[in-house]
Amino acid sequence: MSNVRDEADGIRLSALEEDILTLMGTQKMYGLEILDGLNQGRPISIGFGSLYPTLNRLEKKGLVSWQWGSDQDETGGARRKYYIITGSGQTVLREVQDYRNQLRMRSMTGQAGLAGA
Amino acid sequence: MQYLNTFRKVVRIMRHWNQKPVDLSGVDFERLQDEYTKNLRVSVLDGDGKNLRVSVRDLGVEQILLLVRDGDVDIDELDKLSNLMKQKFSAEIKQKSHIKGWLSNTLLEEWRGELEALRCGWLEKGKPELWIKIMTGFYLLGLLKAYLQIKVENRWLPNKKQS
């Protein structure tokens, strides 16, 4: 766990990276599935051109890993690549979400501005 | 096409009269080949009480309606037939959604898989082929953009990629 903690230190997430990690949770998902999930109700929808570079960055940061799917049908279609969140990914996501919750709590209790000013 | 329309009418009327659900959702009759329509056969009783197998295409709508009303048509056969047609149609769509030619050799397998899944969805929705080709090209441009961006970014991103 401490190794995971060390790896997760100092990793920053962009808004899209956070969205992808939140969507994936603990399940395996392929590109089109992630794209559909993200674009439901999103004000500005994203395409493959934004999704894949973001997945690549997450992979380089060690926050997601992938494996080939075994769902190739009898018609001989191409295999799909399934992405899954790693231990570091879950730790980083939890930290970011905790921070967002703290911000929300502060705004609800009226301590959002300069305390004591 | 005339036979397909006849079949469709018959199934609709049978559904109404027999109150037996015949699930035809997902079947795009316009796309079915003639080889399927010639197999549309029903069992009917002739004047002597003998069981005959008759092709739907040989019967007029009025004749079929009379047979249905008298209970001489075996609805299970139409049910089975519609399931068979759906299976064949589904396999046909998967085959059709595959990316062939130079593009299949050029594209990464994962991206080919994604494009094929997209095309399969469009074919099931009955989108026109030209529209599918244009949209495939549009998504290909997105993938090309992703490819170039990944190549550039990988020049300075630290390498933690799994082996």
Side-chain angles (χ1 to χ4, degrees), chain A residues 2 16-18 39 44 52 56 73 79 87 93-94 98:
Chain A
S2 67
L16 185 54
E17 288 170 354
E18 191 187 331
N39 284 339
I44 300 170
Y52 279 111
N56 179 61
D73 58 57
R79 286 176 301 170
L93 181 64
R94 208 176 305 121
D98 284 348

Side-chain angles (χ1 to χ4, degrees), chain B residues 47-90:
Chain B
D48 303 329
K50 283 183 185 171
N51 206 1
L52 288 179
R53 302 277 294 157
V54 185
S55 171
V56 170
R57 64 162 58 176
D58 296 332
L59 301 172
V61 179
E62 288 77 15
Q63 276 176 297
I64 299 173
L65 289 181
L66 281 173
L67 290 169
V68 172
R69 200 179 57 189
D70 298 342
D72 290 337
V73 177
D74 187 357
I75 194 165
D76 285 335
E77 289 184 22
L78 282 174
D79 230 353
K80 267 189 242 165
L81 199 61
S82 92
N83 286 336
L84 181 76
M85 283 156 80
K86 247 195 284 188
Q87 280 169 14
K88 281 190 176 181
F89 188 57
S90 169

Side-chain angles (χ1 to χ4, degrees), chain B residues 1 4-5 8 27-33 89:
Chain B
M1 200 51 61
L4 289 177
N5 288 336
R8 226 182 324 196
V27 178
D28 186 349
F29 289 99
E30 307 299 330
R31 288 169 172 270
L32 289 174
Q33 305 277 327
F89 188 57

Side-chain angles (χ1 to χ4, degrees), chain A residues 36-49:
Chain A
D36 281 346
L38 286 176
N39 284 339
Q40 278 168 23
R42 196 179 183 84
I44 300 170
S45 59
I46 63 160
F48 283 136

Side-chain angles (χ1 to χ4, degrees), chain A residues 23-96:
Chain A
L23 177 73
M24 283 168 76
T26 52
Q27 52 182 334
K28 285 194 298 183
M29 292 179 97
Y30 61 92
L32 191 59
E33 228 177 345
I34 299 174
L35 204 64
D36 281 346
L38 286 176
N39 284 339
Q40 278 168 23
R42 196 179 183 84
I44 300 170
S45 59
I46 63 160
F48 283 136
S50 307
L51 177 73
Y52 279 111
T54 313
L55 283 172
N56 179 61
R57 279 197 294 275
L58 286 170
E59 201 184 315
K60 291 274 180 181
K61 290 175 185 174
L63 305 181
V64 296
S65 60
W66 59 267
Q67 61 190 67
W68 285 113
S70 54
D71 53 352
Q72 190 177 24
D73 58 57
E74 69 284 352
T75 57
R79 286 176 301 170
R80 285 177 189 154
K81 207 171 174 180
Y82 283 85
Y83 293 89
I84 188 158
I85 193 165
T86 60
S88 316
Q90 281 170 350
T91 310
V92 171
L93 181 64
R94 208 176 305 121
E95 280 174 5
V96 172

Side-chain angles (χ1 to χ4, degrees), chain A residues 4-5 30 82 100 103:
Chain A
V4 171
R5 185 77 203 80
Y30 61 92
Y82 283 85
R100 299 248 182 276
L103 284 182

